[in-house]
């Protein structure tokens, strides 16, 4: 009850910020970002668009990848109309397609740009069951697996940039408190919903993908311990009415948002935690943490399980593998099988 009251009144935490803080407010005292290159996925609308706008305001060079290239160009034009000196590159990327992720990384590397900041923000709530071209349930493929591969392929670039520039690289995974709604066998559940429509529950699938974001952060931070010049953290932006939730418009959804209207954040407020974790000097050398309302918070019990994080990582490596004999099998996830 006390936490809810603090949230409603915007009480600040140890960081000096809280639920009512905006992205512009939390970046006011950050160093000039003129030397920073940032990739922000899902920046064509909502929280991602505001995150990109504020980073541009603070001087960062932006790379805006999107499935719809015109949408990325429109987002670029919108930012340039406010900050005409900004350097922004729009690129094509469909996170549900592993081939598209690899093509994007190849194209980005051909630009010979540094990479200081990777914000894995894009999200999808597939209320209808769908399978990606790689055979993975669509919400999981888009929200987690595409970002897993994107991060994996860009990590060496980030490590190299940090060493050359002397500025710590940061990876920010945008999750959700809804990750707490998932319980049970993650890999088994993914196998079921990737094979059978009858097992599909849209909310549980979304919660699974957001839990995967949390566990990805935990395991990657562990692996980066020896690479102190790159950190990774995870954020819950808060409840906000964006295109993601509008995909589920209807009487029940509208009524729920009406009843919860006092808990909703504005988009500038929802982008605050991402921008805080991405830029604030207080976060130097902080890695593997989960943040909400610009302060460190607790994950679910499953979200803090190191064994589950390692298990998901191993499964993910198989799912993104181009090895001819690598086949994802949720029953024997660590095995390789003949095609």
């Amino acid at each position: 009850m006390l936490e809810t009251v603090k949230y409603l009144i915007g009480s600040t935490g140890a960081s000096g910020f809280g639920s009512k803080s905006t992205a512009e407010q939390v970046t006011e005292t950050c160093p000039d970002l003129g030397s920073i290159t940032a990739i922000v996925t899902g920046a064509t609308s909502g929280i991602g668009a505001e995150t990109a706008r504020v980073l541009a305001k603070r001087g960062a060079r932006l790379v805006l990848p999107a499935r719809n290239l015109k949408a990325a160009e429109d987002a670029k034009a919108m930012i340039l109309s406010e900050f005409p000196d900004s350097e922004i590159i729009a690129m094509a990327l469909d996170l549900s397609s592993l081939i598209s992720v690899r093509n994007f990384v190849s194209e980005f590397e051909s630009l010979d740009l540094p990479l200081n900041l990777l914000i894995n923000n894009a999200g999808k709530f597939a209320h209808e069951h769908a399978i990606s071209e790689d055979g993975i349930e669509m919400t999981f493929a888009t929200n987690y697996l595409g970002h897993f591969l994107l991060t994996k392929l860009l990590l060496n670039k980030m490590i190299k940039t940090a060493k050359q520039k002397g500025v710590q690289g940061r990876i920010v995974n945008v999750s959700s408190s809804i990750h707490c709604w998932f319980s049970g066998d993650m890999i088994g559940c993914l196998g079921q919903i990737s094979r059978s429509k009858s097992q599909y529950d849209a909310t549980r699938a979304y919660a699974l993908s957001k839990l995967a974001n949390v566990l990805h952060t935990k395991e990657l931070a562990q692996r980066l311990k020896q690479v102190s010049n790159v950190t990774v953290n995870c954020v819950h932006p808060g409840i906000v009415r964006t295109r993601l939730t509008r995909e589920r418009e209807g009487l029940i959804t509208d009524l729920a948002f009406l009843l919860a209207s006092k808990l909703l954040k504005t988009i500038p407020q929802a982008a605050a935690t991402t921008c805080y974790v991405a830029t604030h000097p207080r976060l130097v050398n902080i890695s593997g943490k989960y943040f909400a309302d610009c302060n460190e918070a607790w994950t679910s019990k499953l979200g803090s399980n190191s064994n589950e994080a390692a298990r998901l990582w191993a499964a993910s490596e198989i799912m993104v593998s181009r090895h001819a004999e690598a086949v994802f099998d949720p029953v024997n996830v660590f095995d390789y099988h003949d095609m």
Side-chain angles (χ1 to χ4, degrees):
M1 182 63 178
L2 179 60
E3 291 303 315
T4 301
V5 172
K6 287 182 178 180
Y7 176 89
L8 290 172
I9 66 176
S11 177
T12 59
S15 68
F17 303 111
S19 62
K20 302 300 182 184
S21 301
T22 67
E24 289 198 14
Q25 289 170 345
V26 303
T27 57
E28 281 178 351
T29 59
C30 76
D32 177 73
L33 302 182
S35 63
I36 298 299
T37 298
I39 293 177
V40 185
T41 69
T44 59
S45 66
I47 297 168
E50 177 66 3
T51 298
R53 187 191 74 82
V54 172
L55 291 178
K57 180 174 184 176
R58 303 306 179 202
R61 175 199 285 129
L62 298 179
V63 177
L64 307 182
R67 183 178 58 181
N68 184 331
L69 188 55
K70 182 181 183 303
E73 292 287 359
D74 289 345
K76 171 183 175 179
M78 186 67 70
I79 296 173
L80 288 175
S81 69
E82 188 174 358
F83 309 112
D85 294 331
S86 298
E87 185 177 349
I88 305 172
I89 303 168
M91 298 177 66
L93 169 62
D94 180 356
L95 282 160
S96 73
S97 165
L98 299 181
I99 291 177
S100 179
V101 173
R102 294 183 189 280
N103 289 343
F104 166 79
V105 172
S106 292
E107 186 178 351
F108 174 75
E109 289 181 339
S110 73
L111 299 175
D112 198 27
L113 293 174
L115 181 59
N116 310 88
L117 181 57
L118 173 61
I119 299 180
N120 292 321
N121 167 82
K124 180 181 183 64
F125 191 121
H127 55 281
E128 296 293 337
H129 182 262
I131 302 297
S132 75
E133 64 184 41
D134 302 292
I136 306 298
E137 187 276 318
M138 189 62 77
T139 299
F140 190 89
T142 304
N143 295 359
Y144 167 70
L145 194 62
H147 282 129
F148 173 86
L149 180 59
L150 181 67
T151 304
K152 174 184 172 71
L153 297 179
L154 290 172
L155 195 54
N156 283 339
K157 168 68 76 173
M158 295 193 71
I159 293 171
K160 181 180 178 181
T161 298
K163 288 181 178 179
Q164 290 179 339
K165 304 295 184 180
V167 178
Q168 193 168 67
R170 296 189 185 185
I171 301 166
V172 182
N173 289 330
V174 178
S175 181
S176 168
S177 62
I178 292 175
H179 83 270
C180 296
W181 295 9
F182 185 89
S183 61
D185 181 1
M186 293 182 66
I187 305 303
C189 177
L190 176 60
Q192 288 180 336
I193 61 177
S194 293
R195 293 176 175 179
S196 173
K197 182 178 180 179
S198 65
Q199 301 291 329
Y200 187 70
D201 176 277
T203 301
R204 191 162 192 256
Y206 183 74
L208 171 62
S209 71
K210 296 289 102 178
L211 175 59
N213 294 144
V214 173
L215 292 174
H216 177 217
T217 302
K218 184 175 183 64
E219 180 66 15
L220 181 56
Q222 182 68 25
R223 290 168 179 260
L224 287 175
K225 272 189 173 181
Q226 304 305 316
V227 188
S228 59
N229 58 346
V230 177
T231 65
V232 56
N233 289 291
C234 192
V235 305
H236 163 56
I239 307 170
V240 61
R241 197 80 187 269
T242 67
R243 189 174 66 186
L244 185 68
T245 54
R246 288 197 299 271
E247 289 178 3
R248 291 189 59 80
E249 281 185 340
L251 179 60
I252 295 176
T253 303
D254 290 341
L255 180 59
F257 272 95
L258 176 63
L259 294 174
S261 60
K262 295 300 182 182
L263 298 175
L264 291 179
K265 287 186 175 185
T266 65
I267 287 177
Q269 290 169 347
T273 304
T274 299
C275 288
Y276 171 74
V277 173
T279 67
H280 204 280
R282 185 189 295 266
L283 274 294
V284 171
N285 295 328
I286 301 299
S287 194
K289 304 299 183 181
Y290 176 78
F291 290 83
D293 300 329
C294 302
N295 287 276
E296 190 175 339
W298 294 98
T299 67
S300 67
K301 184 177 180 180
L302 194 55
S304 62
N305 188 314
S306 298
N307 291 334
E308 197 67 19
R311 182 171 178 250
L312 175 65
W313 186 284
S316 302
E317 288 283 16
I318 294 173
M319 285 185 276
V320 303
S321 176
R322 292 194 293 189
H323 192 289
E325 295 181 348
V327 178
F328 174 59
D329 180 349
V331 177
N332 301 295
V333 71
F334 300 108
D335 296 338
Y336 282 91
H337 303 274
D338 293 332
M339 295 287 285

